[in-house]
Amino acid sequence: EVQLVESGGGLVKPGGSLRLSCAASGVTFKNVWMSWVRQAPGKGLEWVGRIKSKTDGETTGYAAPVNGRFTISRDDSKNTLYLQMNSLKTEDTAVYYCTKYSTRDALDSWGQGTVVTVSS
Amino acid sequence: DIQMTQSPSSLSASVGDRVTITCRASQSISSKLNWYQQKPGKAPNLLIYAASSLQSGVPSRFSGSGSGTDFTLTISSLQPEDFATYYCQQSYSYLYTFGQGTKLEIK
């Protein structure tokens, strides 16, 4: 069974930085594409970005609201996904979920989420 | 970006009812459409992928259909555990986008 466990959330001031981690188990991590999805309080789901496997070039892609501020990376030796968030804004306040891509391009495994609050 | 629009935004129904939720894409997305269920305080769970394929472990009362721009999620006979929020999501563009969600409540 795939397990994804996020960590690193917390309270940060506008303009600050935070790095989230996602530890994966039960999957051959190096072979899978991964992404981050967020959900602002009381709102719907928003795809943040994704990283391909190393075999597929480890290419990243980001949603427009975070492009240039957020960076997704991975350490396959540690089975861990990262989300570096810089220049944080109040509108980045959300639960951040780590997700795994299936072979059919759906998001078939989700972590429990980590809360990020951006407030002065 | 491809916009996804769900209808209705909320729905009241009773146990045993047949329920249909609609999702419309702003352009053709072939069959690249997935459905998720989310219960309060929990992570979403994949129900249907590629418009009509049932994810492993999901009850057969859930089904999906459609292609191009119009899609539906149907629950054939509502069970108490099905009251939740449902989201569609397109995977045609690498910039994934979700519908705004449909909240299914008990009548």
Side-chain angles (χ1 to χ4, degrees), chain A residues 39 47 62 101 105 107 111, chain B residues 32 36 38 43 94-96:
Chain A
Q39 187 169 36
W47 181 85
Y62 302 94
Y101 280 60
D105 296 333
L107 304 176
Chain B
K32 297 286 194 175
Y36 302 85
Q38 186 179 32
Y94 86 92
L95 296 169
Y96 283 11

Side-chain angles (χ1 to χ4, degrees), chain B residues 91-105:
Chain B
S91 55
Y92 182 83
S93 162
Y94 86 92
L95 296 169
Y96 283 11
T97 45
F98 291 87
Q100 80 279 13
T102 295
K103 187 173 184 179
L104 180 53
E105 298 174 305

Side-chain angles (χ1 to χ4, degrees), chain B residues 57-76:
Chain B
V58 174
S60 59
R61 62 181 179 273
F62 291 92
S63 64
S65 65
S67 66
T69 60
D70 294 313
F71 302 86
T72 59
L73 173 70
T74 300
I75 310 172
S76 60

Side-chain angles (χ1 to χ4, degrees), chain A residues 37 39 43-47 50 60-64 97 101-102 104-108 110-113, chain B residues 1 32 34 36 38 41-46 49-50 53 55 87 89 91 94-100:
Chain A
V37 173
Q39 187 169 36
K43 303 297 185 182
L45 302 170
E46 180 182 25
W47 181 85
R50 66 100 170 97
T60 54
Y62 302 94
Y97 294 102
Y101 280 60
S102 73
R104 299 295 299 274
D105 296 333
L107 304 176
D108 66 351
W110 295 64
Q112 84 288 352
Chain B
D1 291 7
K32 297 286 194 175
N34 308 308
Y36 302 85
Q38 186 179 32
K42 300 293 187 182
N45 182 49
L46 176 65
Y49 63 92
S53 296
Q55 175 69 356
Y87 295 92
Q89 172 249 321
S91 55
Y94 86 92
L95 296 169
Y96 283 11
T97 45
F98 291 87
Q100 80 279 13

